[in-house]
Amino acid sequence: MSNGTTSQEFWLFGYGSLIWKPPPHFDRRIPGFVTGYVRRFWQASQDHRGTPEAPGRVVTLIERSYWEQLKDHHDSAPERVWGVAYRIIPGRVAEVKDYLDIREINGYTIHYTPFHPATGVDLAILPTQTPIKTLVYIGTPENDQFVGPEDPHQVVDVIFRSHGPSGPNPDYLFGLEEALNELSPESGDGHVTDLSNRLREMMAARRVPTPDPSPSLPQEHHFRRAASVDEQEETEKAS
Ligand code: BEZ
């Protein structure tokens, strides 16, 4: 293949909960970024961080050329969308794809995008050529759960009130902020930070304690977290 990965290799890009809730059966986890997109809390969540009656908000990627035509309260966005690429162990790919199709449905569809590893990643764990072709789940503007631009105060109000099978929506926002800050000195995202700051202010004003930071992932970016798909499903729902 032209990007240097072999046809046996399957890489997945995570820009949301996948950063700190890895898929099962991966053997490499690499921090880095994709370009041409903007990350926004513009996807309603009925199945993870909300319910059909009271959907929460989670992130999706917007094509940058489309986003530039919109009126967004956050009118700037980094050129690089930081996240993590996972290599799935050959032989477990079909199983993991089935698992992801269930975990990530609710409006998201499959796309492919080139992934650029962060500077300083051990070359021994990379394919011979980069960028790496990665599969990514995106909630495009055509999907039913796509919300589009909202006032940040409104988004934070929804997040504050929402809770779903995977846990409270505030934990998702704070988890994303923290996970991004751990990837690289450059990987912060102003949209995520602004919403997190607003949510902290809202919780302080209502005297609601903010959650403790979740335990960090190990710093070496090639390890396996879950022994099985069942075990991973448990982790996603229980947190
Ligand atoms: C992500 O973490 O990249 C992700 C998770 C669920 C749906 C879409 C993206």
Side-chain angles (χ1 to χ4, degrees), residues 10-115:
F10 175 66
W11 290 80
L12 172 70
F13 175 59
Y15 58 93
S17 62
L18 279 170
I19 300 176
W20 76 100
K21 287 175 178 283
H25 307 309
F26 70 93
D27 60 359
R28 296 190 187 169
R29 176 181 184 269
I30 295 173
F33 60 86
V34 303
T35 60
Y37 292 101
V38 172
R39 174 176 23 223
R40 287 290 181 262
F41 268 81
W42 289 1
Q43 183 80 355
S45 176
Q46 301 184 339
D47 59 349
H48 278 296
R49 299 295 175 164
T51 62
E53 297 73 34
R57 292 287 181 276
V58 290
V59 286
T60 185
L61 296 183
I62 323 296
E63 278 193 21
R64 199 173 181 97
S65 55
Y66 176 76
W67 173 81
E68 281 166 352
Q69 299 166 27
L70 303 175
K71 188 161 172 44
D72 185 352
H73 289 83
H74 291 148
D75 61 1
S76 68
E79 292 291 329
R80 298 174 172 187
V81 176
W82 279 82
V84 166
Y86 294 99
R87 190 179 76 161
I88 305 302
I89 297 168
R92 309 308 287 262
V93 170
E95 189 183 340
V96 171
K97 279 183 173 167
D98 284 350
Y99 161 77
L100 289 169
D101 284 349
I102 293 164
R103 172 175 157 179
E104 315 300 4
I105 214 103
N106 203 204
Y108 290 101
T109 46
I110 288 173
H111 303 258
Y112 290 89
T113 191
F115 171 86

Side-chain angles (χ1 to χ4, degrees), residues 207-235:
R207 295 196 159 76
V208 176
T210 47
D212 287 337
S214 53
S216 299
L217 286 165
Q219 284 308 299
E220 70 274 20
H221 296 283
H222 52 286
F223 55 92
R224 188 161 157 265
R225 295 274 294 185
S228 70
V229 167
D230 288 349
E231 184 186 329
Q232 184 62 27
E233 194 101 56
E234 195 74 359
T235 312

Side-chain angles (χ1 to χ4, degrees), residues 110-158:
I110 288 173
H111 303 258
Y112 290 89
T113 191
F115 171 86
H116 303 264
T119 309
V121 170
D122 181 359
L123 294 179
I125 67 167
L126 293 177
T128 48
Q129 283 178 26
T130 56
I132 305 169
K133 179 183 177 185
T134 55
L135 182 151
V136 59
Y137 286 87
I138 297 179
T140 63
E142 296 78 36
N143 92 88
D144 287 348
Q145 308 305 320
F146 186 78
V147 179
E150 284 183 300
D151 185 307
H153 180 80
Q154 169 72 12
V155 179
V156 166
D157 192 50
V158 172

